[in-house]
Amino acid sequence: MKTEALLNEAPLGKKSSYINTYSPSLLFPLPRQPKRDEIGITAALPFQGFDIWNGFELSWLNLKGKPVVAISEAFFPCDSLFLVESKSQKLYLNSFNNSRFDSLELVRTTIESDLSKAAQAPVKVKLYRLNEAPNKTVTLRGLCLDDLDIECTTFMPDPSTIETQNEYIEETVYTNLLKSNCLVTGQPDWGSIEISYRGKKIKHDGLLKYIVSLRDHNEFHEQCVERIFMDIQRACSPEWLTVYARYTRRGGLDINPYRTNRPHTNEVDNFRLIRQ
């Protein structure tokens, strides 16, 4: 079944009742492969990585009925068969609100088990009490492209602007000008993106034009990052490539896809940006 048909059954973009007792059935998995077919990923994945979900609206009751609050991190491997639709995950986390658990660890293992079943792959979950949560607000690494004086006329994906020159280089660049739209609701998704590679130097002005060209494109965060990865890979054939996007929060969740084909890279730092 096509993604669009499946999304007709999802809670995203619809009026929803908020269930406040634990209900894992609220999670709505979506297969990754149909959208990958659209960008030419039909065999083995050409990258590895994670989708990092940070949750800021998680609460439950202890055994005496007293509320507990926490921040969650969930690491979905990009080779999972399914991603989990974002509103369904918000509804699922809200279902803990009036449910009693005797420890933070029990909540953590419950969420980890439920998300792993939905994604059909091992999902790693961390929970933090507020006074224990990491506070790592940084800027992205490398050269910022935002001040380049470019003219932008195309606001749908246009990889034709991605070009290389003969210089061989290893570099990291980033921009805060990433914007796309939700596949279902059309609501804007705001983000920053860091691109690292080794290979022929990518012309910065063309790369920035390409990132800006996604401005009116409707696609989920994970799918946009994979599209960016594949378009750069095809246009430039770098020795290795890493694409890491940090999106701003919606509904108490932010989603941060990380894709790389760099050898011996299987961890990613879950830092925070000023807009997050």
Side-chain angles (χ1 to χ4, degrees):
M1 186 182 295
K2 291 186 176 180
T3 300
E4 289 76 5
L6 284 170
L7 284 169
N8 289 332
E9 304 172 20
L12 192 60
K14 299 173 184 172
K15 185 176 180 179
S16 301
S17 299
Y18 281 82
I19 298 170
N20 62 8
T21 53
Y22 171 62
S23 181
S25 64
L26 292 167
L27 292 170
F28 192 88
L30 286 169
R32 293 185 187 268
Q33 192 55 48
K35 296 300 289 185
R36 287 175 172 168
D37 289 341
E38 293 181 13
I39 56 174
I41 303 175
T42 57
L45 292 180
F47 45 66
Q48 58 192 16
F50 301 92
D51 304 323
I52 307 172
W53 294 63
N54 295 304
F56 298 91
E57 298 177 2
L58 175 61
S59 182
W60 63 93
L61 305 178
N62 68 15
L63 296 186
K64 293 183 178 181
K66 181 181 177 182
V68 181
V69 295
I71 292 174
S72 66
E73 293 179 347
F75 292 75
F76 289 79
C78 71
D79 60 357
S80 65
L81 293 179
F82 294 85
L83 55 84
V84 178
E85 185 270 311
S86 59
K87 185 175 179 181
S88 79
Q89 192 168 160
K90 175 187 176 181
L91 294 171
Y92 164 73
L93 292 177
N94 275 320
S95 79
F96 284 77
N97 290 351
N98 280 359
S99 297
R100 299 190 182 213
F101 293 86
D102 65 3
S103 69
L104 181 143
E105 178 61 13
L106 179 57
V107 176
R108 187 197 69 78
T109 57
T110 299
I111 295 174
E112 189 171 82
S113 175
D114 291 339
L115 294 182
S116 296
K117 288 177 183 176
Q120 293 194 19
V123 177
K124 183 178 180 181
V125 172
K126 300 178 182 179
L127 297 187
Y128 300 97
R129 299 183 188 277
L130 300 193
N131 62 344
E132 299 170 347
N135 186 7
K136 299 183 291 184
T137 302
V138 302
T139 57
L140 290 176
R141 300 167 298 174
L143 176 68
C144 182
L145 305 181
D146 292 357
D147 291 333
L148 290 176
D149 186 16
I150 61 172
E151 182 176 359
C152 300
T153 58
T154 301
F155 302 106
M156 292 298 287
D158 181 15
S160 69
T161 65
I162 308 173
E163 298 178 319
T164 60
Q165 52 198 65
N166 287 330
E167 181 183 359
Y168 192 88
I169 195 173
E170 181 175 322
E171 73 169 348
T172 298
V173 298
Y174 73 90
T175 176
N176 300 298
L177 305 186
L178 174 63
K179 175 194 169 290
S180 54
N181 300 320
C182 173
L183 180 62
V184 176
T185 66
Q187 292 288 317
D189 293 325
W190 304 96
S192 301
I193 191 162
E194 179 183 281
I195 298 167
S196 302
Y197 68 95
R198 178 190 291 164
K200 287 186 176 181
K201 184 181 176 74
I202 302 174
K203 294 181 180 180
H204 292 167
D205 56 351
L207 180 59
L208 184 58
K209 284 184 178 181
Y210 166 69
I211 297 299
V212 171
S213 78
L214 278 79
R215 194 168 181 85
D216 289 340
H217 180 58
N218 291 0
E219 208 162 41
F220 289 147
H221 304 61
E222 303 92 331
Q223 298 158 353
C224 278
V225 169
E226 293 185 0
R227 179 180 296 276
I228 292 168
F229 184 100
M230 294 302 295
D231 284 344
I232 295 174
Q233 184 68 31
R234 290 193 181 103
C236 307
S237 300
E239 182 180 331
W240 55 259
L241 172 66
T242 299
V243 178
Y244 187 14
R246 302 286 309 188
Y247 281 90
T248 60
R249 195 180 311 174
R250 182 187 292 170
L253 293 167
D254 64 46
I255 308 169
N256 308 279
Y258 172 88
R259 301 290 185 270
T260 186
N261 61 5
R262 187 171 185 173
H264 313 301
T265 302
N266 56 15
E267 292 186 3
V268 57
D269 186 16
N270 186 25
F271 52 74
R272 308 208 61 69
L273 302 182
I274 189 65
R275 290 194 294 173
Q276 295 184 303

